[in-house]
């Protein structure tokens, strides 16, 4: 089940919310747990059983860790952690490795492994974080198995994040009463997220596909990359908004995942704005344990490369993802050790333009299916092909309006407009906001009904 | 601190620890060995051709050039193919099967097949209601070493027949 379907918006969600707020407080936790598993099991029971198994394993392990000490505690922790990493790697990479060996005739088996359970990359990080925090003694002393199970399976964040921490989530379970402001915010965020996904992301996906089908030119390559950059941003930001909105509707708050990443003035700044919860997770559970930056410069460089290689690999088994991750590792190293003095001297606009260019180059590796294709596209972007073709100009012309809207929506302009209207319209602001949200919802429904279903990009990870 | 254990709970805890310590490595070994017990049935393309014969009565075989043009691909990316398409350009029914053992190339063929469907939809958007209905129900499926692209009233039935092979 996906958030951007008519069934979810008009059947599942209203029923879920209605029952949630009608039930007495002591039943809400259990209800959310049941609903979350039902959501996940919808269409595939096995993945829900797998999640149940992993959750049970971790809850039991945390119980044991609380009562063990010394070497046996460490051994148990390492064992379960290794199993977690193995489970993730098994579904994401094992099939690819075996098929690669089969294709090179080093192996006689042509493996068709089961598909990776949807959301495994995200909920596995929640599980690993929960385990590590428990080992470090950072979890609240009083634990509840149902609360832990809900933290893992909470359906708004289960499939694509945001990746939140156990401590942040559980303290909200103390008060599950109806909060009108949060509910109002949640509804708005959900609709805005839906619009970002259904109207903008899907449109840019079509633009990307159309440009991909044209012969490669410089304008086409840049247009394709811009379309992908906007598609990926609105797809993922849209989902995050919907997830945060749904959480708000249920009385929870979730961490933000994006903060206008295409306004970043440095690569470091970009990663403080893009998929924030993922980069914080890698920072807290990989980068800091490796020593972070409080080591020799050689070790620091190694730490950065390890973290970014893992970040790239997290996205998929393709070599292009690894190269994409390492590309950012190298850029961050260069920024810290070489470019930083120059960056301080350049005007902000200049830094922004250079950063945006570097980000676009990075996306080429992200969407290419092979390194040779990536090199071909990069070559076209920097002059190895014709400048433009009438077909590319025509395609871009058709989508010019959407491109402009997309670029505006990727900046804080809409938020600034909202702030100004709130300041000057006073009581009329809420009526206007209601009308705008209603209109946006109608537009989303029209797009949902009219278009082919396009799944969330990050479902693939 | 943490969970308070009585004696019974402590014994259960010890058992659980053993289950985890023995069970997890066992699961890892089983998972690693799993593909070696799971051989993918490699079906010759001729066998699939026989399976779809009764669905191709109202279609005609498509040439390589036609496939390359409508799918925007080079047929060198596929090891072999079967393609049946409509007799008239106003119809959209088709059954196309690509065989490719290489997973990366198979993925590309899969994407090309979907793009072909999207392109067809653009062509009939606004005036071909029946064609649009069929295109919305179009199926592109990866199964084993094959990519199946099926457009037609009996798309699901055809796919079931192919997958059974």
């Amino acid at each position: 089940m996906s958030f951007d379907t008519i069934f979810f918006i008009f059947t599942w969600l209203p029923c879920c919310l209605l029952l949630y707020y009608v039930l007495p407080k002591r039943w809400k936790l259990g209800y959310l747990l049941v609903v979350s598993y039902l959501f996940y099991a919808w269409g595939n029971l096995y993945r829900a059983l797998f999640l149940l198994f992993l959750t049970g394993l971790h809850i039991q392990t945390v119980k044991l860790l609380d009562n063990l000490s010394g070497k046996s505690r460490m051994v148990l922790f390492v064992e379960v952690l290794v199993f977690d990493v193995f489970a993730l790697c098994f579904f994401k990479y094992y099939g690819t490795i075996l098929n690669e060996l089969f294709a090179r005739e080093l192996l006689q088996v042509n493996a068709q492994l089961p598909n990776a359970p949807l959301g495994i990359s995200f909920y596995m990080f929640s599980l690993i974080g929960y385990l590590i925090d428990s080992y470090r003694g950072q979890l609240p002393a009083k634990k509840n198995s149902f609360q832990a199970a809900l933290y893992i399976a909470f359906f708004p964040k289960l499939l694509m994040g945001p990746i939140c921490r156990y401590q942040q989530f559980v303290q909200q379970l103390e008060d599950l009463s109806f909060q009108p402001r949060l509910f109002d915010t949640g509804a708005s965020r959900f609709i805005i997220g839906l619009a970002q996904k259904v109207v903008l992301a899907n449109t840019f996906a079509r633009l990307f596909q159309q440009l991909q089908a044209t012969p490669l030119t410089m304008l086409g390559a840049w247009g394709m990359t811009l379309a992908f950059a906007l598609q990926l941003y609105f797809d993922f930001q849209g989902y995050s908004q919907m997830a945060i909105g749904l959480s708000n509707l249920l009385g929870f708050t979730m961490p933000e995942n994006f903060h206008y990443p295409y306004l970043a003035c440095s690569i470091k700044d970009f990663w403080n704005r893009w998929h924030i919860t993922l980069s914080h997770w890698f920072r807290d559970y990989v980068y800091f344990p490796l020593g972070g930056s409080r080591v020799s410069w050689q070790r620091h460089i190694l730490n950065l490369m390890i973290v970014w290689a893992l970040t790239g690999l997290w996205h998929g088994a393709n070599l292009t993802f690894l190269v994409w991750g390492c590309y950012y590792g190298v850029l961050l190293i260069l920024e810290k050790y070489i470019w930083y003095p120059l960056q301080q001297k350049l005007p902000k606009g200049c830094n922004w333009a250079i950063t945006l260019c570097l980000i676009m180059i990075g996306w080429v590796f992200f969407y290419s299916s092979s390194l040779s294709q990536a090199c071909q596209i990069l070559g076209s972007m920097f002059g190895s092909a014709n400048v433009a073709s009438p077909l590319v100009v025509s395609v871009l012309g058709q989508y010019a309006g959407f491109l402009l809207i997309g670029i505006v929506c990727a900046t804080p302009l809409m938020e600034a407009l909202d702030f100004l209207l709130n300041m000057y319209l006073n009581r009329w602001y809420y009526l206007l906001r209601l009308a705008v949200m209603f209109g946006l919802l109608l537009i989303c429904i029209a797009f949902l009904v009219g278009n082919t279903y396009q799944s969330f990009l990050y479902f693939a990870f | 601190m943490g969970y308070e254990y009585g004696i019974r709970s402590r014994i259960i805890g010890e058992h659980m620890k053993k289950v985890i310590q023995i069970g997890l490595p066992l699961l890892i070994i089983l998972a690693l060995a799993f593909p070696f017990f799971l051989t993918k049935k490699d079906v010759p393309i001729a066998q699939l051709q026989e399976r779809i014969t009764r669905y191709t009565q109202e279609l005609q075989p498509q040439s390589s050039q036609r496939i390359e043009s409508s799918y925007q691909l080079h047929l060198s990316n596929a090891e072999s193919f079967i393609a049946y398409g409509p007799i008239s350009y106003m119809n959209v029914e088709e059954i196309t099967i690509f065989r490719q053992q290489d997973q990366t190339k198979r993925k590309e063929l899969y994407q090309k097949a979907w793009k072909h469907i999207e392109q067809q939809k653009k062509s009939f958007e606004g005036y071909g209601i029946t064609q649009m209905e069929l295109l919305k129900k179009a199926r592109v499926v990866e199964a084993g070493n094959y990519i199946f692209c099926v457009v037609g009233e009996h798309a699901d039935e055809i796919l079931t027949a192919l997958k059974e092979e």
Side-chain angles (χ1 to χ4, degrees):
Chain A
M1 207 193 308
S2 181
F3 297 161
D4 63 337
T5 54
I6 299 287
F7 173 75
F8 180 85
I9 298 165
F10 291 104
T11 310
W12 175 275
L13 186 59
C15 294
C16 174
L17 287 174
L18 186 65
L19 261 172
Y20 179 69
Y21 283 111
V22 154
L23 285 172
K25 188 187 168 183
R26 65 180 183 276
W27 288 7
K28 282 191 196 305
L29 181 64
Y31 171 74
L32 279 178
L33 195 53
V34 166
V35 156
S36 296
Y37 269 92
L38 196 59
F39 174 85
Y40 195 49
W42 200 273
N44 188 335
L45 179 61
Y46 296 109
R47 63 187 182 199
L49 292 173
F50 182 66
L51 178 65
L52 189 61
F53 161 70
L54 286 175
T55 305
L57 171 69
H58 283 75
I59 289 171
Q60 191 55 48
T61 304
V62 163
K63 278 187 191 178
L64 289 169
L65 287 177
D66 278 346
N67 288 281
L68 290 173
S69 60
K71 195 179 169 192
S72 57
R73 188 170 185 263
M74 191 190 71
V75 164
L76 180 67
F77 164 70
V78 168
E79 212 170 55
V80 178
L81 184 63
V82 164
F83 180 79
D84 285 345
V85 172
F86 169 79
L88 194 54
C89 294
F90 174 79
F91 283 108
K92 285 174 84 82
Y93 313 120
Y94 192 43
T96 307
I97 294 168
L98 288 182
N99 286 329
E100 187 62 33
L101 293 173
F102 173 76
R104 291 177 196 279
E105 291 172 22
L106 295 172
L107 213 64
Q108 295 308 306
V109 64
N110 193 354
Q112 187 92 54
L113 291 173
N115 290 331
L118 208 57
I120 189 171
S121 300
F122 290 91
Y123 69 67
M124 195 54 89
F125 272 27
S126 295
L127 284 164
I128 293 173
Y130 176 62
L131 181 70
I132 294 175
D133 287 346
S134 167
Y135 183 72
R136 287 173 177 173
Q138 288 173 349
L139 295 187
K142 192 179 163 195
K143 298 180 196 72
N144 180 308
S145 298
F146 288 107
Q147 286 180 353
L150 181 61
Y151 159 68
I152 304 299
F154 189 52
F155 78 91
K157 68 164 188 67
L158 175 64
L159 299 181
M160 270 169 61
I163 304 167
C164 81
R165 304 300 162 85
Y166 176 79
Q167 303 88 306
Q168 291 167 344
F169 181 83
V170 150
Q171 68 195 29
Q172 297 180 71
L173 292 172
E174 288 166 22
D175 181 17
L176 296 177
S177 56
F178 180 67
Q179 298 171 59
R181 280 198 168 221
L182 196 59
F183 192 91
D184 175 55
T185 306
S188 302
R189 288 194 83 154
F190 183 83
I191 293 170
I192 290 168
L194 184 66
Q196 285 176 332
K197 160 62 183 165
V198 160
V199 177
L200 294 176
N202 289 358
T203 303
F204 291 126
R206 279 195 298 279
L207 172 58
F208 176 72
Q209 284 160 11
Q210 284 185 35
L211 287 172
Q212 250 195 340
T214 62
L216 218 46
T217 57
M218 186 193 283
L219 182 64
W222 279 105
M224 202 164 62
T225 307
L226 176 65
F228 182 80
L230 291 171
Q231 177 200 348
L232 188 66
Y233 172 63
F234 287 116
D235 193 282
F236 201 10
Q237 161 69 329
Y239 182 93
S240 296
Q241 289 275 48
M242 291 167 78
I244 294 169
L246 281 172
S247 305
N248 291 164
L249 288 170
L250 293 166
F252 292 83
T253 55
M254 286 285 141
E256 293 296 330
N257 231 356
F258 292 89
H259 183 65
Y260 305 108
Y262 293 132
L263 295 185
C265 292
S266 67
I267 299 297
K268 186 179 175 186
D269 189 22
F270 174 69
W271 282 101
N272 282 334
R273 295 166 177 262
W274 180 277
H275 205 172
I276 298 168
T277 56
L278 180 74
S279 34
H280 285 185
W281 193 96
F282 272 109
R283 180 197 64 191
D284 294 341
Y285 295 110
V286 182
Y287 184 62
F288 284 163
L290 286 174
S293 57
R294 296 180 186 187
V295 289
S296 64
W297 66 266
Q298 297 97 324
R299 181 58 196 262
H300 181 223
I301 288 171
L302 180 67
N303 290 346
L304 280 171
M305 289 312 296
I306 289 171
V307 168
W308 287 99
L310 289 175
T311 306
L313 281 173
W314 178 86
H315 286 83
N318 205 334
L319 189 60
T320 51
F321 290 120
L322 178 62
V323 168
W324 174 81
C326 293
Y327 167 77
Y328 276 108
V330 167
L331 286 180
L332 284 163
I333 291 164
L334 289 173
E335 229 177 52
K336 175 151 177 79
Y337 289 106
I338 298 172
W339 291 342
Y340 184 73
L342 180 64
Q343 264 180 340
Q344 300 304 299
K345 289 177 189 160
L346 286 174
K348 214 171 177 183
C350 213
N351 281 327
W352 168 77
I354 294 169
T355 305
L356 192 61
C357 193
L358 290 171
I359 293 166
M360 291 297 143
I361 292 170
W363 287 139
V364 173
F365 291 105
F366 200 86
Y367 67 68
S368 300
S369 55
S370 66
L371 284 180
S372 56
Q373 187 189 32
C375 292
Q376 204 181 4
I377 294 169
L378 285 170
S380 303
M381 282 167 87
F382 293 99
S384 74
N386 294 338
V387 172
S389 71
L391 182 60
V392 166
V393 171
S394 161
V395 169
L396 284 171
Q398 283 171 35
Y399 287 86
F402 271 104
L403 281 167
L404 190 62
I405 294 169
I407 289 166
V408 166
C409 290
T411 65
L413 281 173
M414 298 307 286
E415 206 178 304
L417 180 66
D418 180 63
F419 178 77
L420 287 170
L421 287 170
N422 192 8
M423 210 161 63
Y424 290 109
L425 292 181
N426 294 318
R427 62 182 174 177
W428 293 107
Y429 167 75
Y430 293 104
L431 279 171
L432 177 65
R433 194 161 143 266
L434 196 65
V436 166
M437 287 298 141
F438 186 67
L440 209 51
L441 184 62
L442 285 178
I443 293 169
C444 292
I445 294 165
F447 269 75
L448 274 173
V449 169
N451 291 337
T452 319
Y453 176 68
Q454 183 109 20
S455 72
F456 286 101
L457 269 178
Y458 261 71
F459 274 178
F461 311 132
Chain B
M1 180 174 112
Y3 293 90
E4 293 196 51
Y5 270 70
I7 294 171
R8 189 186 291 179
S9 302
R10 216 172 290 138
I11 293 167
I12 292 170
E14 283 299 318
H15 284 311
M16 287 309 302
K17 199 173 95 181
K18 281 198 178 82
V19 165
I20 290 171
Q21 283 177 342
I22 296 167
L24 291 189
L26 209 60
L27 271 173
I28 290 175
I29 292 166
L30 279 172
L32 286 171
F34 178 65
F36 296 92
F37 298 108
L38 200 80
T39 53
K40 208 158 63 171
K41 203 170 149 197
D42 196 16
V43 176
I45 202 166
Q47 212 165 312
L48 297 176
Q49 170 105 48
E50 282 169 35
R51 267 282 181 167
I52 60 167
T53 306
R54 59 187 171 114
Y55 300 106
T56 60
Q57 302 303 319
E58 287 167 20
L59 302 173
Q60 65 180 6
Q62 300 287 287
S63 65
S64 321
Q65 290 88 345
R66 179 105 175 89
I67 292 298
E68 284 189 342
S69 149
S70 50
Y71 281 77
Q72 293 286 300
L73 55 79
H74 291 292
L75 276 173
S76 55
N77 284 343
E79 288 165 10
S80 52
F81 76 98
I82 300 169
Y84 287 88
I87 295 165
S88 156
Y89 280 110
M90 287 307 295
N91 295 339
V92 294
E93 291 86 344
E94 67 173 279
I95 303 171
T96 309
I97 301 171
F98 296 109
R99 179 188 160 86
Q100 176 54 262
Q101 288 190 75
D102 180 80
Q103 201 177 39
T104 314
K105 287 184 183 171
R106 203 165 56 238
K107 218 175 169 180
E108 273 176 38
L109 287 168
Y110 180 85
Q111 285 166 355
K112 292 279 185 192
W114 268 120
K115 272 183 217 161
H116 162 69
I117 300 293
E118 292 301 314
Q119 203 53 45
Q120 287 281 75
K121 282 181 184 167
K122 278 182 70 66
S123 302
F124 288 96
E125 203 171 357
Y127 72 93
I129 297 170
T130 318
Q131 292 90 332
M132 282 301 287
E133 287 301 313
L134 287 176
L135 286 165
K136 279 181 184 171
K137 288 191 284 192
R139 301 287 303 279
V140 178
V141 168
E142 182 182 344
N145 293 326
Y146 292 95
I147 301 291
F148 302 130
C149 178
V150 185
V151 183
E153 270 303 324
H154 304 289
D156 286 332
E157 201 179 304
I158 296 167
L159 267 174
T160 308
L162 287 168
K163 279 174 162 182
E164 272 170 7
E165 279 301 309

